[in-house]
Amino acid sequence: MISTSLNTTKSEEIFASAQQLMPGGVSSPVRAFKSVGGQPIVFDRVKGAYIWDVDGNQYIDYVGSWGPAICGHTHPDVIKALHETLEKGTSFGAPCALENVLAEMVIDAVPSIEMVRFVNSGTEACMAVLRLMRAFTGRDKVIKFEGCYHGHADMFLVKAGSGVATLGLPDSPGVPKSTTSNTLTAPYNDLEAVKALFAENPDQISGVILEPVVGNAGFIPPDAGFLEGLRVITQENGALLVCDEVMTGFRIAYGGAQEKFGITPDLTTLGKIIGGGLPVGAYGGRRDIMSMVAPAGPMYQAGTLSGNPLAMTAGIKTLELLQKPGTYEYLDQITKKLADGLLQIAKETGHDACGGQISGMFGLFFTAGPVHNYEDAKKSDLQKFSRFHRGMLERGIYLAPSQFEAGFTSLAHTEEDIDKTLAAAREVMSSL
């Protein structure tokens, strides 16, 4: 049972069947609710800031399909554009003009991107950018940060965040040691550790990849000077700096974290929002680096469904909506009200908690903090978070089912939604 107050009979029946059909009954591990107990709810439909499950229960949604629903679910302008494109076909496996339109919008928006390649997921984008880093530099090793998640490619499943952290899994079986031997890790927000890795591996490191704002170990912003320091260190060592903005791109600012913090990496990965809710990813960067990608250059990467007209259409319309005046100011306003309110309620009800937000992205840890990296995040009271999550779900608030995931707001969330959420949080925290 999910709770004592929700009727979830249909969800339970469907999930029971799913467990016989799919590993764990899900298509992605973090959906399984293992870290918060109970069983996942099965969605029936979404609209704006709300979701409805198969039993008819309504929730205010702070997951937003894990980020892309920044304009709200099924925005009418996006749906209208998709209907028009759908009449022309779902996939061409050939160039379409819509690719040019979205590519120009991405290049205009993201400071580091001079050329872009569309793919089908964030994982695919990160796989490709890893190969490109090594091809361009002629070096095999890469530095990633503990708790940062860059998809499920073999080389990245070392001290990874997201579902790996949520489920408490060790480095994944099936990944050869020979593959991960070239993956070096450092604590997030620790420049000295990065300097030490470069000193220990002279002329061997192709680059550094990171989430500029961590969202896959919970919400963890960069310390002052951290991103700037990485830019200097990589340049001094002839290595590339890669910002994985699959989560932060077009969410914390129109130009992503690199616009927000004034840092220009060599390469960037994108996803989520640029597909407007459809499967999409992208990677891009300096023209001289991107020119190595086939067919312009020798580094091979391909995808039959890449740049398909439906994903391009949804992305174009979503970015058009985000360009309207006041968009990010509104996201920041409502998300700050939510994040500040949660922290104040935790304080008033006697719980150690820390967290924060940037634009439409937020997080809450049940620990006194501060949280600068994954090791700090792991000090959180996971049992308390589990009870908090369950209590909020019972009151119609859908949060990510993991202490180690960021939350997301959308343009569809209202002040009333935030007020209802905070009222629910006060009830739950008072009873924890």
Side-chain angles (χ1 to χ4, degrees):
M1 294 290 290
I2 291 174
S3 71
T4 58
S5 59
L6 286 176
N7 175 10
T8 56
T9 304
K10 290 183 180 179
S11 276
E12 291 160 22
E13 291 173 352
I14 292 171
F15 184 62
S17 296
Q19 291 178 83
Q20 304 304 312
L21 303 169
M22 297 174 282
V26 292
S27 294
S28 186
V30 79
R31 302 175 190 174
F33 273 47
K34 278 196 170 183
S35 71
V36 293
Q39 296 179 352
I41 59 172
V42 178
F43 285 13
D44 178 60
R45 59 190 174 94
V46 292
K47 182 69 176 177
Y50 312 113
I51 57 178
W52 288 263
D53 66 22
V54 291
D55 291 282
N57 301 304
Q58 179 180 336
Y59 309 83
I60 301 173
D61 181 21
Y62 291 104
V63 178
S65 193
W66 302 95
I70 192 169
C71 297
H73 292 292
T74 62
H75 190 286
D77 290 359
V78 176
I79 297 301
K80 180 183 177 183
L82 281 172
H83 276 302
E84 293 172 355
T85 300
L86 188 61
E87 293 293 331
K88 299 180 180 181
T90 59
S91 175
F92 301 154
C96 70
L98 294 168
E99 293 173 82
N100 288 20
V101 177
L102 185 57
E104 287 180 359
M105 295 177 81
V106 168
I107 290 168
D108 287 346
V110 184
S112 68
I113 296 183
E114 296 175 347
M115 297 187 81
V116 65
R117 166 64 63 84
F118 293 113
V119 291
N120 298 292
S121 68
T123 286
E124 195 177 330
C126 290
M127 289 170 61
V129 86
L130 173 62
R131 186 179 303 158
L132 182 55
M133 292 164 67
R134 296 187 300 205
F136 184 79
T137 62
R139 303 172 179 179
D140 291 337
K141 294 185 178 182
V142 63
I143 296 175
K144 73 174 290 288
F145 292 93
E146 298 165 8
C148 281
Y149 179 72
H150 306 292
H152 59 263
D154 284 359
M155 271 194 73
F156 290 133
L157 287 182
V158 179
K159 298 184 179 179
S162 192
V164 180
T166 298
L167 299 176
L169 297 175
D171 294 346
S172 181
V175 178
K177 290 182 179 179
S178 59
T179 300
T180 57
S181 63
N182 285 320
T183 304
L184 310 175
T185 62
Y188 186 78
N189 276 324
D190 190 338
L191 288 175
E192 293 305 313
V194 176
K195 291 177 182 177
L197 288 174
F198 273 103
E200 293 163 7
N201 301 271
D203 302 320
Q204 298 178 62
I205 298 172
S206 62
V208 176
I209 185 169
L210 79 159
E211 296 177 79
V213 177
V214 179
N216 288 292
F219 173 82
I220 308 174
D223 289 346
F226 177 62
L227 298 179
E228 295 85 348
L230 290 178
R231 178 69 285 182
V232 172
I233 293 169
T234 50
Q235 288 175 334
E236 289 177 345
N237 287 276
L240 302 179
L241 179 62
V242 182
C243 281
D244 179 353
E245 297 226 43
V246 168
M247 190 173 287
T248 56
F250 294 94
R251 175 161 282 281
I252 68 171
Y254 190 70
Q258 54 198 268
E259 176 193 299
K260 181 76 174 180
F261 295 105
I263 182 78
T264 304
D266 300 295
L267 292 165
T268 297
T269 58
L270 297 168
K272 311 284 187 186
I273 287 168
I274 66 164
L278 274 69
V280 77
Y283 63 100
R286 283 172 22 202
R287 184 174 295 273
D288 60 324
I289 303 175
M290 292 298 296
S291 294
M292 289 201 69
V293 179
M299 192 220 82
Y300 192 74
Q301 176 271 313
T304 300
L305 294 176
S306 298
N308 72 79
L310 290 180
M312 297 298 97
T313 293
I316 291 164
K317 186 55 63 176
T318 297
L319 297 196
E320 287 177 355
L321 291 167
L322 293 177
Q323 290 175 356
K324 293 183 177 181
T327 293
Y328 289 93
E329 291 80 1
Y330 180 75
L331 280 173
D332 191 65
Q333 172 193 326
I334 60 166
T335 315
K336 180 174 174 56
K337 179 177 179 178
L338 174 63
D340 289 353
L342 290 172
L343 291 175
Q344 182 62 33
I345 291 168
K347 180 179 179 180
E348 291 173 0
T349 51
H351 300 289
D352 286 338
C354 65
Q357 56 81 219
I358 302 175
S359 185
M361 184 175 175
F362 70 94
L364 175 73
F365 294 103
F366 279 107
T367 179
V371 172
H372 295 288
N373 51 47
Y374 182 44
E375 285 301 312
D376 292 340
K378 289 196 296 185
K379 297 174 184 176
S380 300
D381 187 333
L382 301 186
Q383 291 300 316
K384 183 174 286 186
F385 177 83
S386 176
R387 296 194 301 273
F388 175 71
H389 183 275
R390 180 73 62 88
M392 294 295 279
L393 195 66
E394 292 175 1
R395 290 162 177 80
I397 311 297
Y398 187 72
L399 301 170
S402 169
Q403 174 72 96
F404 303 116
E405 295 284 353
F408 305 104
T409 55
S410 75
L411 295 172
H413 284 84
T414 65
E415 295 276 353
E416 183 181 7
D417 293 327
I418 305 301
D419 289 339
K420 287 180 179 178
T421 303
L422 294 176
R426 183 173 294 281
E427 285 184 11
V428 176
M429 289 193 192
S430 295
S431 65
L432 289 180

